[in-house]
Amino acid sequence: MAANILVVDDEQSIADLIEVYLKNENYDVFKFYNGRDALQCVENHNIDLAILDIMLPDIDGFSICQQIREKYNFPVIMLTAKEEEIDKITGLTLGADDYITKPFRPLELIARVKAQLRRFTKYNFLEPKQDEHLIAFSGLVLDKDTHECTLNEKNLSLTPTEFSILWVLCSNRGRVVSSEDLFHEVWGDKYFTNNNNTVMVHIRHLREKMHDSAENPKYIKTVWGVGYKIEK
Amino acid sequence: MAANILVVDDEQSIADLIEVYLKNENYDVFKFYNGRDALQCVENHNIDLAILDIMLPDIDGFSICQQIREKYNFPVIMLTAKEEEIDKITGLTLGADDYITKPFRPLELIARVKAQLRRFTKYNFLEPKQDEHLIAFSGLVLDKDTHECTLNEKNLSLTPTEFSILWVLCSNRGRVVSSEDLFHEVWGDKYFTNNNNTVMVHIRHLREKMHDSAENPKYIKTVWGVGYKIEK
DNA sequence: CTCAGAATTAAGATATTCTTAAGAATTTGA
DNA sequence: TCAAATTCTTAAGAATATCTTAATTCTGAG
C-alpha cells in the first residue's frame, strides 16, 4: 500500500532522515525545506499524509496545517521540539491528528504514520456501528456481551485474543485483512513491532476450533501475499 | 450517538483545540474558560461527560469534580500537566473516571471520551429497573429489601458486599461482567484504584457459600481475560 | 524448480486467576 | 466506651490458561 507523504522541515538533515525511513517502507516522499513550496506541492499532488515541522522559515507548520485543513482531508502529523512548553505544544498542534516530539525514534515515526494512514483508509475499523454487539451469519454467532462464539450452536470457547481476531475478520467480511492490520486492530497501535507470526498462530488455533483447515478453508481463507478473509 | 460534553480550561487555545476534536466527532461541546460558568452550565444542560483542567483561575477542576459528583452522575475526565508528581496526579484526579496528561494525542483524547461514554451507558444498562427488588431464578432468590439471599430455601447469609456482587451478576445474567465493572458497580466510581483481587476474593467467598467451585462452576462462571458471568 | 510466504508444532515466557491467611477496618453488644 | 466478633482488604505464592517465539515443514506463484 503505497502512499504519498509530504515532509516539511527546514532542517535538511532531519527532513532527509525522515525521507530515508519512509522510502524504506516504500512510501513516495515529497520533501520540502520551506512552507511555500510544500503548499504548492499539496495543490499538485494527491498527498495522503503530511509530516510538518512547526518551526519553518517562511510559514510555520501550524499555519500550513490550517491551510491544508481548509481544502483537504488527509491526516497531518506535527513535529515539535521536546523543550517546548507543554501548553505551547498542545496549542501549536491544533488541528493536527498526531504529533511527534524531536528527537524521535524511527520506528515510532513509522508506526504513527501507519496508524494514521490506517485510520483514514479501508475497513470499518474504528468500531463498525456504535452499538453492534452481535455478528451472526451462516451458523456463526459472535456475541460481544457474553464474549461467546458459537458455530452451529456449539460453543467454540475462544480465548480473548482469538475472539478479537475473529471479530475483526467477521466485521470486515468479504474484505481481505492483512496480518499487519489485524495485529494493530487487536493489539493496538502501541506496538512498533509487527509480528505477523503471532497472528498466524492464533489463526491456526481459530481454524482448529472451527474445524477449519488452511488448505481447504470453510471460514478463514488465506489470500496469498495479502492477508486473511472471511467470505461474505 | 451524540452527547453533550463540557470542556473547562482557562487556556483558551487548549479548550478550543479540544472543542475542534470533539465537534469533529459530532459531539455537542459546552466550552468554558473558568469554573463558575461551567458549574452553572451543568445546572442548565444535560451534560453527558466533562473534561476538566485541574488548574483554573477561580475554582480548581478537582473541586468542580467534587461538586458535580454531589448532584450528578456523569463521567469526568481530568486534564493534568505531565510534570506533576504521580502521587499528586492520583490525588488530584481522585473522584474522576479518567485523566489525560498534557500534551495529549488527539486520538487518545477521543478514545478516552468514547470509552467513558461507552462504559457509562453500559452501566445504565446494567442497572436493572429502579423498582426491582427481587431476583429469582433456578432456586436462587435475592431480596434487595431484606438483603437476604436463599439458595434452595437455605439462607446463604451473605455479607453486604457479597450480596451486592451477586446482585450485579444476577441482574446481568447471561452477560459477562468484568471485574473492573463489578468493582465500580459495587464500590462506586470514587475509587481510582481498581484492585480486582478484592473482587476475586469476594467471588471466592460467594462460591464457597453457594457450594460452587471455580473449576466446575454451577453458578458463577469465570470467563478468562474478560470477567465473571452467571448463565441465563 | 525455486523460494518467499504460510502453516505447524511445541516449549518457554507471560498473564490471569485461585487460594490462603493475616491484619485492618468496621460493627456489635455489653 | 471498650472488647469481641464480623467483615473487608491486602499480599504472596501456586495453579492454570494464554501468548509468543523459534525452528521446521509445507505450499503456491512465477
Side-chain angles (χ1 to χ4, degrees):
Chain A
M1 91 161 156
N4 296 335
I5 300 185
L6 176 73
V7 175
V8 193
D9 197 321
D10 62 321
E11 283 179 88
Q12 301 206 3
S13 61
I14 293 182
D16 295 350
L17 186 68
I18 295 174
E19 184 184 25
V20 170
Y21 294 137
L22 291 175
K23 282 201 166 155
N24 196 40
E25 297 285 325
N26 287 319
Y27 293 117
D28 294 317
V29 179
F30 297 78
K31 180 181 63 177
F32 299 94
Y33 305 130
N34 64 70
R36 196 171 35 76
D37 293 350
L39 275 172
Q40 200 180 335
C41 170
V42 171
E43 304 283 339
N44 300 324
H45 295 85
N46 266 328
I47 296 299
D48 296 299
L49 181 146
I51 300 174
L52 309 175
D53 188 31
I54 285 184
M55 299 303 187
L56 289 174
D58 50 350
I59 324 165
D60 64 281
F62 179 48
S63 307
I64 295 178
C65 178
Q66 288 188 313
Q67 290 182 52
I68 286 174
R69 272 291 138 77
E70 280 169 19
K71 291 180 66 180
Y72 302 94
N73 192 33
F74 53 80
V76 175
I77 299 175
M78 295 292 229
L79 282 177
T80 73
K82 199 154 203 167
E83 307 96 49
E84 306 262 19
E85 292 284 322
I86 298 257
D87 293 340
K88 207 171 172 188
I89 289 180
T90 313
L92 287 175
T93 55
L94 183 71
D97 297 278
D98 201 355
Y99 67 89
I100 300 173
T101 53
K102 293 194 267 192
F104 50 83
R105 283 175 294 166
L107 279 177
E108 185 176 354
L109 176 82
I110 297 298
R112 293 198 180 284
V113 166
K114 285 187 178 171
Q116 287 300 331
L117 286 175
R118 221 173 5 250
R119 232 181 113 243
F120 268 69
T121 51
K122 306 202 268 188
Y123 320 134
N124 292 331
F125 279 165
L126 299 168
E127 298 279 319
K129 273 151 230 155
Q130 282 291 343
D131 33 28
E132 186 91 71
H133 291 281
L134 208 76
I135 293 179
F137 64 94
S138 53
L140 188 66
V141 180
L142 286 151
D143 187 331
K144 232 182 182 175
D145 280 343
T146 64
H147 239 259
E148 262 178 2
C149 170
T150 57
L151 180 56
N152 301 323
E153 271 84 57
K154 277 211 297 283
N155 193 319
L156 295 185
S157 55
L158 303 182
T159 70
T161 307
E162 284 161 8
F163 185 91
S164 293
I165 289 176
L166 192 54
W167 180 269
V168 173
L169 285 175
C170 286
S171 54
N172 289 289
R173 201 144 51 99
R175 225 179 269 138
V176 184
V177 184
S178 78
S179 124
E180 182 178 355
D181 285 345
L182 252 181
F183 183 84
H184 281 97
E185 264 309 294
V186 173
W187 278 262
D189 283 326
K190 59 196 162 191
Y191 297 100
F192 302 149
T193 58
N194 173 36
N195 193 347
N196 70 356
N197 184 35
T198 297
V199 173
M200 222 182 276
V201 173
H202 284 293
I203 292 278
R204 154 103 181 96
H205 291 154
L206 266 174
R207 293 213 253 230
E208 198 165 83
K209 287 183 180 176
M210 298 171 89
H211 302 290
D212 206 357
S213 71
E215 67 261 14
N216 186 25
K218 292 193 296 271
Y219 302 99
I220 303 173
K221 198 177 153 191
T222 303
V223 182
W224 252 74
V226 189
Y228 298 97
K229 153 173 139 173
I230 289 183
E231 293 296 347
K232 198 146 205 165
Chain B
M1 131 168 119
N4 295 336
I5 301 185
L6 176 74
V7 176
V8 194
D9 198 320
D10 62 321
E11 282 179 86
Q12 301 206 2
S13 64
I14 293 180
D16 295 350
L17 179 71
I18 296 173
E19 185 184 24
V20 170
Y21 293 134
L22 292 175
K23 283 199 166 156
N24 196 41
E25 297 285 325
N26 287 320
Y27 294 115
D28 294 318
V29 179
F30 296 78
K31 179 182 62 178
F32 298 95
Y33 305 131
N34 64 70
R36 197 171 35 76
D37 294 351
L39 276 173
Q40 199 180 335
C41 169
V42 172
E43 304 282 337
N44 301 323
H45 297 83
N46 266 328
I47 296 299
D48 296 299
L49 181 146
I51 300 174
L52 308 175
D53 188 31
I54 285 185
M55 300 304 188
L56 289 175
D58 50 350
I59 324 166
D60 66 283
F62 181 47
S63 306
I64 295 179
C65 179
Q66 289 187 312
Q67 289 183 52
I68 286 174
R69 271 291 140 75
E70 280 168 20
K71 291 181 66 180
Y72 301 95
N73 192 32
F74 53 78
V76 175
I77 298 176
M78 296 291 230
L79 282 177
T80 73
K82 198 157 202 167
E83 303 101 47
E84 307 263 17
E85 292 285 321
I86 298 268
D87 293 343
K88 209 171 170 187
I89 288 179
T90 314
L92 287 174
T93 56
L94 189 68
D97 297 277
D98 201 355
Y99 71 90
I100 300 173
T101 52
K102 292 193 267 189
F104 49 83
R105 298 183 186 285
L107 277 178
E108 188 179 349
L109 177 81
I110 296 299
R112 290 190 186 282
V113 166
K114 283 187 179 170
Q116 285 303 327
L117 287 175
R118 219 179 357 254
R119 190 172 73 86
F120 193 76
T121 52
K122 195 168 72 173
Y123 279 178
N124 278 351
F125 201 102
L126 286 178
E127 207 60 43
K129 277 142 228 156
Q130 282 293 334
D131 38 29
E132 186 94 68
H133 290 279
L134 208 76
I135 293 178
F137 64 94
S138 53
L140 188 66
V141 180
L142 287 150
D143 188 329
K144 220 181 186 180
D145 287 339
T146 64
H147 242 256
E148 261 178 6
C149 170
T150 58
L151 179 57
N152 301 323
E153 272 84 57
K154 280 211 296 282
N155 193 321
L156 294 183
S157 55
L158 303 182
T159 70
T161 308
E162 284 161 8
F163 184 91
S164 294
I165 288 176
L166 192 53
W167 180 267
V168 173
L169 284 175
C170 286
S171 55
N172 289 90
R173 204 141 51 97
R175 207 180 286 138
V176 183
V177 184
S178 76
S179 127
E180 181 178 354
D181 284 350
L182 253 180
F183 185 84
H184 281 98
E185 269 305 297
V186 173
W187 279 262
D189 283 328
K190 58 198 163 197
Y191 295 100
F192 195 68
T193 58
N194 173 38
N195 193 348
N196 73 353
N197 185 34
T198 299
V199 173
M200 224 182 275
V201 173
H202 285 293
I203 293 277
R204 155 105 180 94
H205 292 154
L206 265 174
R207 292 212 255 230
E208 202 163 81
K209 287 183 179 176
M210 298 171 88
H211 303 289
D212 206 357
S213 71
E215 68 260 12
N216 186 25
K218 291 193 296 271
Y219 302 99
I220 304 173
K221 197 178 152 191
T222 303
V223 182
W224 248 78
V226 188
Y228 298 96
K229 150 173 140 174
I230 290 183
E231 293 294 350
K232 199 145 205 165

